[in-house]
Amino acid sequence: MRQRRVKAKSNCDAIYHCMTRTVNGERLFKSRDKEVLRKMIWQIADFSGVEVLTYCVMSNHFHVLVRVPCAKAVSDQELMRRFRLLYPKPTKYQEASAKVLESKLQAGGEEAVAIRERLLVRMYDVSEFMKTLKQRFCVWYNKSHERFGTLWAERFKSVLVEGKGNPLQTMAAYIDLNPVRAGLVEDPKDYRFCGYAEAVARVPMAVLGLRAVWVDVVAGAGAEDVLRAHRMLLFGKGACPGNQPGHVISREEAAHVMEAEEGALPTSIALRCRVRYFTDGAILGSAEFIRTYVDAWQLERGRKHPPKVNPVRGGQWGDLAVIQALRRQVFG
């Protein structure tokens, strides 16, 4: 049965971890494909009015951590700027040129109102952001590879994340460590297609994304301080650029320890396992944050009893909790 997506109560100023896979999990994406998808993530986020905090593009899936602000008024000038990001010239999917659209907006009337509504409905919404991103990349990929049919296996997964502190920082680190878990690199700074690597390269938007993740810890700090804080979470205390942590165990060993009831690995090691809480937990945050969604969760799903607030097991996660207990093995 398809699970209803969890969204913030006001459907705005919320943070989501979104993830989607290719059909059959096929490893389709080479470097050029990843580069195009990387650029599209930033481009469509700009169009949609959402803020990318970090992301990671892999060969058969991608992750993105985004903040979706409250919907706000958008001037016609800004509306046209965003429109030109996606449609610099007419296509079979968008027949109206930017100049024609702009003249209609300036003319006013019912047609101008309809144009604004049609564009604004695609903004400030996580589902619309992911829909546009997946559709546009699918069109590009199929055309570039002389392919047809669906590219993505299913609708994207999403986890609502508490927008501050340990939950947000841990989720960002988990996403940036994807290439490390896959054995592609030992340090995510060496993997071009992730937010952390772009931040290390001082790409302004990537630095701003990580700064938003760590704002409550290093408010007003420069890029170096933000990167240092994030790297400490990635590699553990005492880590610094160019050094690896003193002790690293295999993912298999970590998973074995974490599945034991008494197992509680340091966060920097636990994050090197695939942790289903971060993709299937529905809501991730402090226990207090999770409790604010208990009533809505029970009502929307027609359940007789309210759900429990479940602490995240297996690692030294601090205050992390989820609303979905996950009955199957949660580490791998």
Side-chain angles (χ1 to χ4, degrees):
M1 181 178 177
R2 183 165 124 163
Q3 180 174 289
R4 183 174 302 187
R5 194 177 307 286
V6 179
K7 290 190 175 182
K9 290 181 177 180
S10 60
N11 199 31
C12 70
D13 200 21
I15 292 177
Y16 301 92
H17 168 213
C18 303
M19 189 274 284
T20 194
R21 292 188 182 277
T22 57
V23 171
N24 296 323
E26 295 180 52
R27 299 182 183 278
L28 300 175
F29 305 152
K30 308 302 182 186
S31 292
R32 177 172 177 252
D33 309 315
K34 293 177 183 178
E35 178 64 14
V36 170
L37 183 50
R38 180 191 72 81
K39 289 180 178 179
M40 281 191 181
I41 287 172
W42 291 110
Q43 176 193 45
I44 293 167
D46 192 1
F47 169 82
S48 302
V50 308
E51 178 184 0
V52 175
L53 304 185
T54 195
Y55 73 92
C56 188
V57 178
M58 302 296 285
S59 60
N60 64 353
H61 69 283
F62 72 87
H63 301 255
V64 62
L65 184 65
V66 294
R67 169 179 278 122
V68 181
C70 298
K72 55 187 176 182
V74 179
S75 68
D76 287 351
Q77 182 179 6
E78 173 64 9
L79 210 58
M80 290 309 305
R81 184 194 71 81
R82 296 189 190 185
F83 180 86
R84 288 187 177 93
L85 284 173
L86 297 192
Y87 308 107
K89 57 183 179 180
T91 70
K92 68 177 182 178
Y93 302 102
Q94 180 55 254
E95 297 179 355
S97 70
K99 285 187 177 180
V100 170
L101 213 62
E102 192 168 25
S103 66
K104 290 180 178 179
L105 286 174
Q106 291 173 350
E110 292 184 1
E111 189 172 14
V113 171
I115 291 170
R116 292 187 191 99
E117 290 179 351
R118 191 165 64 247
L119 290 175
L120 287 172
V121 77
R122 299 174 61 187
M123 300 175 186
Y124 305 110
D125 184 272
V126 68
S127 296
E128 289 294 329
F129 164 72
M130 287 296 290
K131 175 184 174 182
T132 301
L133 177 57
K134 291 175 68 175
Q135 284 182 345
R136 286 181 70 85
F137 184 74
C138 181
V139 170
W140 175 87
Y141 186 88
N142 283 355
K143 183 177 180 180
S144 299
H145 294 271
E146 298 182 347
R147 179 185 183 278
F148 63 89
T150 185
L151 176 64
W152 306 108
E154 56 192 356
R155 69 177 192 149
F156 70 94
K157 292 182 178 181
S158 69
V159 176
L160 176 64
V161 183
E162 186 171 4
K164 61 180 180 180
N166 181 45
L168 179 59
Q169 293 148 13
T170 303
M171 182 65 89
Y174 180 77
I175 292 169
D176 285 327
L177 282 167
N178 262 269
V180 176
R181 285 193 296 275
L184 301 177
V185 294
E186 293 184 351
D187 190 324
K189 73 177 177 60
D190 299 321
Y191 187 72
R192 172 174 174 75
F193 312 106
C194 75
Y196 176 67
E198 288 207 64
V200 169
R202 300 302 190 273
V203 175
M205 294 306 295
V207 173
L208 285 174
L210 277 189
R211 182 172 282 135
V213 169
W214 288 94
V215 67
D216 60 326
V217 176
V218 286
E224 287 294 338
D225 296 313
V226 171
L227 289 169
R228 188 178 298 111
H230 198 55
R231 191 169 185 84
M232 187 172 291
L233 181 54
L234 293 173
F235 289 106
K237 292 183 178 180
C240 62
N243 292 329
Q244 298 297 324
H247 177 63
V248 178
I249 64 176
S250 70
R251 286 183 293 162
E252 291 74 18
E253 291 176 292
H256 177 74
V257 175
M258 292 169 76
E259 282 300 317
E261 286 298 322
E262 68 279 10
L265 292 169
T267 305
S268 59
I269 297 177
L271 285 171
R272 279 154 176 73
C273 288
R274 289 186 295 273
V275 185
R276 288 186 54 240
Y277 287 123
F278 297 132
T279 55
D280 299 334
I283 308 175
L284 180 80
S286 63
E288 181 181 0
F289 178 77
I290 301 296
R291 287 190 192 99
T292 64
Y293 285 88
V294 165
D295 292 341
W297 178 276
Q298 180 183 3
L299 180 63
E300 289 178 0
R301 287 155 182 77
R303 296 189 177 181
K304 185 176 181 180
H305 302 290
K308 294 181 180 179
V309 176
N310 301 280
V312 176
R313 298 183 295 109
Q316 296 171 4
W317 302 115
D319 62 346
L320 289 191
V322 290
I323 203 167
Q324 191 137 297
L326 304 181
R327 295 176 183 176
R328 293 185 290 133
Q329 183 181 16
V330 295
F331 305 106

